[in-house]
Amino acid sequence: MNYSKKDIENLDRVTRLKIINSVTGIKPANLIGTINNNGQTNLAIFSSVVHLGSNPALLGFITRPQTEDVGHTIRNIQENQVYTINHIHPEFIKNAHYTSGKFESEISEFDRCHLTEDYIHNFKAPFVKESHFKMGLRFKETLNISNGTTLVVGEIEQLILPDHALLNGDIDLEATNSVGISGLNSYYSLKKIDNYPYVRLPEVPEF
């Protein structure tokens, strides 16, 4: 099967969304927790979280163009400057998936989707209690992209993960039982295949 640019443009909207959202392969499945100045919490699923740097520890994620119904996450982050990123695990995939609904701003997805707010180390933004791999971030900047989306950049201030998932300085994502996502609605378990050393040129083998 071969799709040209014209073929892609002629696909119906939902089919195009599903296909183009899947072409990058399996992506991390995360819930981003925020709170506004009135104490109203928000929780939304994202598959666009990416590593941007380790020193300082920066992560980014992409938000869709803001409308009255879309954009509660970034608005809350801009108000309070903090947010949480929480890995999704098999026990609550269904709950997490339905946070993608366009709920009114006064409805907390924590309540509607039966997930639990958790506040750790006096960090203002809510973590997801059901997640055992989670991060608290402080907002650094936004970068506007030509299609109307926005890259939100934050620095990790809190990192919480199971002790057994840290092996020889590496995080074993299979041990954390974190899940991945492809497209809009397909979820995958992660299985570790192998482990290789940090690459130094003299140590590259002959293939």
Side-chain angles (χ1 to χ4, degrees), residues 87 133 165 170-179 190-192:
H87 284 210
F133 190 147
D170 288 332
I171 293 175
D172 186 334
L173 290 175
E174 183 179 359
T176 69
N177 215 19
S178 299
V179 302
L190 303 179
K191 183 173 179 60
K192 188 174 182 179

Side-chain angles (χ1 to χ4, degrees), residues 21-194:
N21 269 277
S22 299
V23 297
T24 56
I26 297 172
K27 298 167 286 188
N30 290 287
L31 287 167
I32 295 184
T34 61
I35 189 169
N36 67 17
N37 285 336
N38 296 321
Q40 176 66 53
T41 58
N42 179 266
L43 189 66
I45 190 169
F46 284 84
S47 63
S48 59
V49 174
V50 293
H51 162 265
L52 297 177
S54 300
N55 188 21
L58 299 180
L59 300 181
F61 72 94
I62 300 293
T63 66
R64 293 178 290 174
Q66 292 187 50
T67 66
E68 186 175 343
D69 296 325
V70 175
H72 303 151
T73 296
I74 189 169
R75 283 194 283 270
N76 290 353
I77 290 172
Q78 290 170 334
E79 278 191 17
N80 277 299
Q81 304 291 298
V82 289
Y83 56 103
T84 70
I85 297 178
N86 308 264
H87 284 210
I88 296 170
H89 309 301
E91 298 79 11
F92 60 94
I93 290 174
K94 185 175 181 179
N95 308 65
H97 176 74
Y98 282 93
T99 65
S100 61
K102 295 179 181 179
F103 297 105
E104 299 290 335
S105 60
E106 64 270 15
I107 295 175
S108 173
E109 291 81 1
F110 279 99
D111 296 333
R112 183 63 183 82
C113 298
H114 199 61
L115 291 162
T116 311
E117 296 175 23
D118 196 18
Y119 295 89
I120 303 172
H121 303 305
N122 296 316
F123 198 77
K124 185 171 184 179
F127 293 86
V128 176
K129 187 169 187 173
E130 289 79 4
S131 174
H132 48 256
F133 190 147
K134 40 202 168 191
M135 295 157 279
L137 292 92
R138 183 163 298 278
F139 172 68
K140 301 299 288 185
E141 63 179 316
T142 56
L143 300 171
N144 295 325
I145 299 171
S146 59
N147 64 353
T149 60
T150 301
L151 173 65
V152 180
V153 180
E155 182 175 357
I156 299 174
E157 291 192 348
Q158 300 286 341
L159 176 58
I160 301 155
L161 70 161
D163 292 342
H164 71 271
L166 196 60
L167 303 173
N168 301 318
D170 288 332
I171 293 175
D172 186 334
L173 290 175
E174 183 179 359
T176 69
N177 215 19
S178 299
V179 302
I181 186 171
S182 176
L184 301 178
N185 52 5
S186 297
Y187 296 86
Y188 295 82
S189 61
L190 303 179
K191 183 173 179 60
K192 188 174 182 179
I193 297 172
D194 212 334

